[in-house]
Amino acid sequence: MERVPILKIGEILLVSIQLDMSDQTALQLQEDLAERIVATGCHGVIIDITALDIVDSFVGRMLSSIASISKVLDAETVVVGMRPAVAITLVELGLSLNGIRTALNVERGMELVADARADEFPYDDELADGSDDDPETTSSP
Amino acid sequence: MERVPILKIGEILLVSIQLDMSDQTALQLQEDLAERIVATGCHGVIIDITALDIVDSFVGRMLSSIASISKVLDAETVVVGMRPAVAITLVELGLSLNGIRTALNVERGMELVADARADEFPYDDELADGSDDDPETTSSP
């Protein structure tokens, strides 16, 4: 059975999906990702789908499910590299990627993870260094 | 025909090889990579082979060839994520990955690219900003 590799880059886990996913591969990926999130303490998962010609309801569900699992484990999921044709087909099919953030490429995805993190935990820095910055400026989008 | 996606992360192009490479796919990858190096001006190419069970002479030649092409285009190539079994088989088969640097994972690969760059062009900063800093301080890690 094929396994999709998970690459750790700084605080982020990067998954590049290049194969047509079977049920088995998809389940294995979810399991592997959950384990890696816990093992590494990463706060972001970036899924690259540049190689996919088609995102059908199966792949859509898989992405949603990965996003939900990651969320529970305190990690943001961002899907990057969607082709224009894929986006058009998704809308035509009426598939919505529930709870999934998207970005144009890996670099923007990384920024999105960092921003989402900053929005969610505006007092992180304050707690960490005990400084008394105005929370308003940190938490407003 | 399948195409291996090339991801840009900062100054580095990342390629995760997950498919069994056909001649066509390998040629296409070399071409795509050369184009991306020129288009982005990246100085590093990291090839992740975590997903490969076997590195035979064909894949070995492809990696060597990518490294040579990148070198001509002023980019370092690092192969990362080699499995222990693959390393053992490579040695048993007497295959040497000519001119290819390796690293344990993507993060170390990135460090290697940065270090190689610093070693090769210790005066880069000086030339770039025209300052008259002591070159010793720039080149020492």
Side-chain angles (χ1 to χ4, degrees):
Chain A
M1 195 196 57
E2 274 142 339
R3 244 176 143 123
V4 181
I6 301 169
L7 307 175
K8 181 175 176 291
I9 301 173
E11 275 288 279
I12 280 171
L13 296 177
L14 177 66
V15 180
S16 174
I17 296 181
Q18 299 176 21
L19 314 156
D20 290 327
M21 304 290 277
S22 67
D23 280 22
Q24 270 292 319
T25 318
L27 280 176
Q28 185 70 52
L29 175 59
Q30 290 175 16
E31 210 171 290
D32 289 350
L33 251 181
E35 268 167 28
R36 282 296 289 275
I37 293 172
V38 172
T40 60
C42 282
H43 289 304
V45 175
I46 293 184
I47 303 176
D48 169 66
I49 58 168
T50 318
L52 296 188
D53 287 322
I54 298 166
V55 171
D56 54 14
S57 61
F58 174 70
V59 174
R61 262 204 316 278
M62 183 196 68
L63 295 175
S64 291
S65 149
I66 287 178
S68 306
I69 296 172
S70 306
K71 193 80 204 160
V72 180
L73 295 172
D74 193 23
E76 288 290 328
T77 303
V78 182
V79 171
V80 305
M82 189 182 292
R83 297 191 191 179
V86 169
I88 292 168
T89 317
L90 270 182
V91 172
E92 279 176 357
L93 291 176
L95 291 175
S96 62
L97 298 178
N98 275 329
I100 300 179
R101 286 161 189 258
T102 54
L104 201 59
N105 54 38
V106 177
E107 287 177 320
R108 296 212 189 165
M110 285 176 160
E111 286 166 19
L112 198 58
V113 168
D115 289 354
R117 201 77 205 146
D119 284 352
E120 206 167 339
F121 299 100
Y123 310 121
D124 250 14
D125 288 343
E126 201 186 347
L127 288 174
D129 60 28
S131 71
D132 51 5
D133 296 338
D134 183 7
E136 293 292 352
T137 52
T138 328
S139 62
S140 62
Chain B
M1 195 195 58
E2 273 142 341
R3 246 179 142 120
V4 182
I6 300 169
L7 307 175
K8 180 174 176 292
I9 300 174
E11 275 288 280
I12 280 170
L13 297 177
L14 176 66
V15 180
S16 174
I17 296 181
Q18 299 174 22
L19 313 157
D20 290 327
M21 304 289 278
S22 68
D23 281 20
Q24 270 293 318
T25 318
L27 281 176
Q28 185 70 52
L29 175 59
Q30 289 174 19
E31 210 171 289
D32 289 350
L33 251 181
E35 268 168 28
R36 282 296 289 275
I37 293 172
V38 173
T40 61
C42 282
H43 289 303
V45 174
I46 294 184
I47 303 177
D48 168 67
I49 57 168
T50 318
L52 296 188
D53 287 322
I54 298 165
V55 171
D56 55 15
S57 61
F58 173 70
V59 174
R61 262 202 318 278
M62 183 195 69
L63 295 175
S64 292
S65 149
I66 287 178
S68 307
I69 296 171
S70 305
K71 193 82 204 158
V72 180
L73 295 172
D74 191 23
E76 289 289 330
T77 303
V78 182
V79 170
V80 305
M82 190 183 290
R83 298 190 191 180
V86 170
I88 293 168
T89 317
L90 271 182
V91 172
E92 279 176 358
L93 291 177
L95 292 175
S96 62
L97 298 178
N98 275 329
I100 299 179
R101 286 161 189 259
T102 52
L104 199 61
N105 54 39
V106 177
E107 287 176 322
R108 295 211 188 164
M110 286 176 160
E111 286 166 19
L112 198 59
V113 168
D115 289 354
R117 202 74 206 148
D119 284 350
E120 204 167 343
F121 300 100
Y123 312 121
D124 246 14
D125 289 342
E126 201 188 347
L127 287 174
D129 59 29
S131 70
D132 51 4
D133 297 337
D134 182 5
E136 294 292 353
T137 53
T138 326
S139 61
S140 63

